[in-house]
Amino acid sequence: MSPVREGAKFVWDALGGARDMFRAYQDMREANYKDADKYFHARGNYDAAQRGPGGAWAAKVIRGRYEAPPGRRSGRRRLVGAGAVVAAVPAAMDRNPSPPSSEAEEEGDAVGNTVYSKHWLFSILTRLIEVISPEKTEPTVSPEGIQTELDEEMENDICKVWDMSMDEDVALFLQEFNAPDIFMGVFAKSKCPRLTEICVGILGNMACFQDICMSISKDENLGQVLLQRLCDSDSPTLLETSRLLLTCLSQPEVANVWVERIRENPSVYDCVCFIMSSSTNVELLVKVGEVVDKLFDLDEELMLNWIKNGTCRSVGPSVDDSPEELPDFKIVPCILEAAKQVRSDNPEGLDVYMHILQLLTTVDEGIQAIVQAPDGGKETWSLLYDLVCHELCQPDDPPIIVQEQKTVLASILSVLSAMFASQTEQEYTKMRKNMPLIGSLIRILQYMEGCGKRSVDNSKESEQQETGRADLNEEDFHLKILKDICCELLSNMLQELTKENTLEGLHQGHLNEQTCSCAFQNLLPLYFASVESFLEVLREADQTLADNLEKRFPSLKVHA
């Protein structure tokens, strides 16, 4: 840059810095909070210094107007007798005395209706500004010398703010005095992962309140910086960032703002896939899964983009602590890897990832992404098969277990049904390998019959309780969805059975009069053709069993 341009920029920055200082001074006068001057001076200095050397120079000059020079002290004069005599004020009184302690003062220092102190909060915000203030950075300090750990006192204090920010009055106070801007400075300049985590966590608490969430969401710069945090290498920071994003996506007023922002940032896809495919932190995987689930549920276009987005590279600004090179990700393998990590430790997390797979099957591109994976969908089928046949709704579980597992079962069976319908030529869908799955489907229907009887009994007992009836209706609704999906898959599989498959099922105990009766009871009359087809095959394998079933279900007349 030429000397003329440098001089012009210096002057321009100085003017901007002066405006920053003046604005902070005006805010201080308007706020009129006891002992808040340090915060406003620090904020003005920080804002001005952000502009460059000219802004820093303006801050230094203007600061001298509002702050007394070092060594200057205030004093008092008094008149004694008839003459004017200067009396030295004792050292202990050489200051403006603090106002007497009173309930009124304590109430005036309280944040809203809380017992939290405005003065204390100002002091923490001031210290945060000092942590990221350019004035504190020595030009000769190497990157290795940058502080990466918080001192214990600062960590304890900022963690208290984190806890306090769950209160709406405190959240509004932090919003009013530009805490999000200060946190953005922390994200940009701090090399301390713990400090970054706490600041994102505070923003996450603040975003729980609608007005604050709208303000945070509409700040484009803050939004971009927060999305960049998804490329962080620190798991606790990633967890808090995901929690903040989920909170914002759950607010209908701002959800579309974040969906659009994420759609325009291809790096988000890479970072999310990297976390799902490589992290072993179950809590983080669950929260990231909830974010993806919410995104796919809100916006089909974004889901389609991510399905097709296997080789998209980041075009956004890089983050120092993000992985230098990310592999080409496919969404389905990443989801499966995360599901494997959470399956044994977090049932709710497994439910989340199964629902993501179910959402993929709502579009043709999603089904193709599942069945056209390098292994043709074998890994997906194997995982879901194993869950249904060996983990969920097992023979030694009480029938009521289906109430607890109804949503995850519905998601799994929905994906299996979509795969079976589209990949009947694949080896893993051949019926000789899937007789245990038929047994599991019938067991689920049996357990649901038991739950249905229990729901009827409960509904009679709670006839006078409106809330009880609403809860039962919701339970019945989810069970009905599960039953519909289970019956659809079972009917499709029964149609594919051969005599050899049926004999094997009879030998293994998956098929007998009790299980077949349960299947017929649930499939008829909607799936009459499937039942009739299966009964013809069963007559070849076990004539006696077929005759007994025909007697129990007179509508079935199999003609030779």
Side-chain angles (χ1 to χ4, degrees), residues 189-374:
K189 298 194 173 185
S190 173
K191 297 298 180 183
C192 176
R194 178 61 171 159
L195 180 58
T196 301
E197 173 205 352
I198 296 171
C199 291
V200 178
I202 295 173
L203 279 176
N205 285 350
M206 294 171 64
C208 292
F209 306 104
Q210 182 177 335
D211 291 342
I212 301 177
C213 185
M214 292 180 67
S215 176
I216 291 173
S217 301
K218 291 178 180 178
D219 187 331
E220 186 63 27
N221 291 331
L222 181 57
Q224 295 295 336
V225 169
L226 288 173
L227 291 183
Q228 290 174 21
R229 289 297 97 206
L230 287 172
C231 297
D232 205 297
S233 59
D234 181 61
S235 291
T237 299
L238 289 170
L239 176 61
E240 293 307 319
T241 303
S242 302
R243 184 175 72 89
L244 171 57
L245 290 177
L246 183 62
T247 300
C248 294
L249 289 169
S250 301
Q251 297 270 7
E253 297 81 8
V254 299
N256 289 337
V257 174
W258 285 97
V259 169
E260 184 64 27
R261 188 174 286 148
I262 291 171
R263 191 189 296 135
E264 294 174 354
N265 280 268
S267 60
V268 174
Y269 170 85
D270 286 335
C271 294
V272 167
C273 286
F274 181 76
I275 294 169
M276 291 193 297
S277 63
S278 62
S279 178
T280 57
N281 185 318
V282 172
E283 190 177 5
L284 171 60
L285 288 172
V286 172
K287 195 59 64 178
V288 168
E290 289 175 343
V291 171
V292 175
D293 187 42
K294 191 68 175 178
L295 284 171
F296 286 4
D297 198 32
L298 286 170
D299 193 77
E300 184 176 299
E301 181 184 347
L302 184 141
M303 180 173 71
L304 288 169
N305 289 342
W306 281 25
I307 291 171
K308 303 171 184 176
N309 195 19
T311 59
C312 185
R313 296 268 55 86
S314 171
V315 296
S318 62
V319 180
D320 291 343
D321 49 8
S322 64
E324 291 183 4
E325 290 187 8
L326 294 174
D328 292 343
F329 289 115
K330 300 290 186 183
I331 188 69
V332 173
C334 294
I335 293 171
L336 293 178
E337 187 60 36
K340 292 174 186 176
Q341 284 290 333
V342 304
R343 64 184 289 187
S344 59
D345 297 326
N346 195 302
E348 292 79 11
L350 179 64
D351 197 348
V352 168
Y353 281 98
M354 293 302 101
H355 189 252
I356 295 174
L357 285 175
Q358 181 190 359
L359 288 174
L360 292 180
T361 64
T362 60
V363 295
D364 291 339
E365 293 86 347
I367 297 175
Q368 294 306 309
I370 292 173
V371 301
Q372 290 182 357

Side-chain angles (χ1 to χ4, degrees), residues 440-507:
S440 295
L441 294 175
I442 296 175
R443 182 167 59 251
I444 292 170
L445 292 172
Q446 290 175 320
Y447 282 9
M448 279 194 289
E449 287 181 353
C451 287
K453 293 176 183 178
R454 180 174 176 273
S455 296
V456 171
D457 295 339
N458 287 344
S459 64
K460 291 178 180 178
E461 294 177 4
S462 60
E463 244 176 6
Q464 306 302 322
Q465 300 178 9
E466 189 68 28
T467 304
R469 287 204 301 272
D471 291 342
L472 287 172
N473 288 336
E474 185 177 354
E475 288 181 2
D476 292 344
F477 174 74
H478 288 295
L479 284 176
K480 184 179 184 308
I481 292 176
L482 175 57
K483 178 182 176 180
D484 291 345
I485 297 171
C486 188
C487 287
E488 180 183 7
L489 177 56
L490 180 59
S491 69
N492 289 335
M493 297 186 76
L494 289 179
Q495 279 188 310
E496 299 296 325
L497 287 177
T498 64
K499 176 183 176 181
E500 290 72 21
N501 302 147
T502 304
L503 286 170
E504 185 179 0
L506 291 169
H507 176 71

Side-chain angles (χ1 to χ4, degrees), residues 15 80 87 105 167 177 185 188 212-213 223 258 266 361 424 446 501 524:
L15 291 173
V80 180
E105 181 204 58
D167 187 286
F177 292 101
I212 301 177
C213 185
W258 285 97
T361 64
T424 51
Q446 290 175 320
N501 302 147
L524 293 173

